Amino acid sequence: VTQEDYDTYDLIVIMEEYNRRNLRGVLREDPEGKVRTLMSFAGSDRDVADPWYTNDFETAYEDILEGCEAILEQIIKRKR
């Protein structure tokens, strides 16, 4: 992700807060609130479960599916 990406796109979706901390090195700040966690779209403040540590790919899949479905619902509502 670059500053140009931030300027170009309406939304930057991250999986966990660690991603946000890493983005601060590139973006410095998020004045337009474009950086959001995937799970925030599903009404949760938790990170997507990380199978790297748990080897629990099913939970990661379920989190990602839930977040993506929530994003899709918001997009559909905007189009109406």
Side-chain angles (χ1 to χ4, degrees), residues 54-66:
T54 64
N55 211 29
D56 181 2
F57 289 88
E58 183 64 29
T59 300
Y61 171 82
E62 292 297 329
D63 284 352
I64 294 166
L65 180 62
E66 181 182 358

Side-chain angles (χ1 to χ4, degrees), residues 35-73:
V35 179
R36 293 194 46 198
T37 61
L38 180 62
M39 297 307 296
S40 71
F41 290 93
S44 176
D45 64 351
R46 65 183 177 79
D47 294 339
V48 169
D50 190 343
W52 177 263
Y53 300 104
T54 64
N55 211 29
D56 181 2
F57 289 88
E58 183 64 29
T59 300
Y61 171 82
E62 292 297 329
D63 284 352
I64 294 166
L65 180 62
E66 181 182 358
C68 288
E69 287 176 339
I71 289 173
L72 182 58
E73 284 179 31

Side-chain angles (χ1 to χ4, degrees), residues 4-57:
E4 184 178 334
D5 292 330
Y6 186 86
D7 296 339
T8 301
Y9 301 107
D10 296 330
L11 186 62
I12 298 173
V13 180
I14 58 175
M15 298 293 202
E16 59 186 10
E17 285 301 319
Y18 181 74
N19 299 144
R20 188 185 312 274
R21 288 191 299 272
N22 286 337
L23 281 175
R24 284 190 190 121
V26 175
L27 303 177
R28 302 287 181 233
E29 54 187 62
D30 180 19
E32 297 178 50
K34 293 181 178 185
V35 179
R36 293 194 46 198
T37 61
L38 180 62
M39 297 307 296
S40 71
F41 290 93
S44 176
D45 64 351
R46 65 183 177 79
D47 294 339
V48 169
D50 190 343
W52 177 263
Y53 300 104
T54 64
N55 211 29
D56 181 2
F57 289 88

